[in-house]
Amino acid sequence: MAIREIRKKGDEILYKKCKEVKNFDNKLHILLDDMYDTMKKQEGAGLAAPQVGILKRAVVIDVGQGRIELINPEIIEESGEQTGSEGCLSVPGVWGEVTRPNVVTVKAQDRNGKWFKMTGEGLLARAMCHETEHLDGKLFLDRVTKFID
Ligand SMILES: [Zn+2]
């Protein structure tokens, strides 16, 4: 396990579309473990692979309900609305108000390639949206309606 360097806003890798994960091997498991440790060290609630310089569709999330890993995630259902403050480990020190769906269901694979569905509400739904968007090269900044000082 290792702490990886977090890429920051302006780094071109954060604006690229990530590739589908096809090999659910030890290399992926190490990446996921490193991503989790890196996220925890920075006290983040989620981290996407491009944030550590890897253009693969892999995400880790922990909003205080335990570790979640989403490989090749796809949002298949969303409902409701929530508006709240959001930040990103790639944009340190910046917080902004972002409106997101309140309930989100994703379809994803686990670290061994097994498909599953998961529904999240509130902060978890927010993290699922935020992290999935990283995989398409999008930062939350585009969605901020008001920056918080
Ligand atoms: Zn982020």
Side-chain angles (χ1 to χ4, degrees):
M1 293 199 280
I3 303 297
R4 301 206 185 190
E5 186 202 339
I6 296 183
R7 304 300 183 97
K8 302 287 171 11
K9 183 191 162 211
D11 189 319
E12 62 176 22
I13 207 151
L14 292 174
Y15 307 92
K16 290 184 174 164
K17 198 173 160 72
C18 296
K19 293 193 184 77
E20 192 191 334
V21 173
K22 287 183 176 150
N23 297 316
F24 296 84
D25 53 10
N26 195 45
K27 204 177 159 194
L28 175 70
H29 299 171
I30 290 168
L31 171 66
L32 290 166
D33 290 342
D34 286 358
M35 283 169 61
Y36 187 77
D37 291 345
T38 304
M39 176 188 82
K40 278 290 175 191
K41 184 164 187 274
Q42 301 298 328
E43 297 177 348
L47 195 70
Q51 291 182 276
V52 292
I54 306 292
L55 284 171
K56 285 190 175 156
R57 304 188 78 80
V59 157
V60 295
I61 292 172
D62 190 342
V63 293
Q65 303 164 6
R67 176 171 173 166
I68 294 167
E69 296 174 349
L70 304 174
I71 317 301
N72 299 323
E74 207 184 305
I75 292 173
I76 53 172
E77 239 179 274
E78 47 183 65
S79 63
E81 199 179 275
Q82 57 170 323
T83 300
S85 69
E86 200 166 311
C88 178
L89 292 178
S90 292
V91 194
V94 176
W95 292 85
E97 268 186 13
V98 180
T99 299
R100 300 279 191 188
N102 193 46
V103 180
V104 166
T105 300
V106 292
K107 188 181 93 174
Q109 283 166 284
D110 69 12
R111 58 164 59 204
N112 298 309
K114 190 172 185 282
W115 285 98
F116 65 98
K117 278 184 197 172
M118 176 181 225
T119 299
E121 205 183 323
L123 189 55
L124 180 53
R126 178 177 294 282
M128 285 168 162
C129 294
H130 178 116
E131 301 310 329
T132 303
E133 285 181 356
H134 269 299
L135 305 180
D136 290 319
K138 291 181 200 146
L139 295 183
F140 83 111
L141 294 171
D142 300 335
R143 291 187 178 275
V144 171
T145 47
K146 187 180 148 207
F147 285 96
I148 299 158
D149 297 325

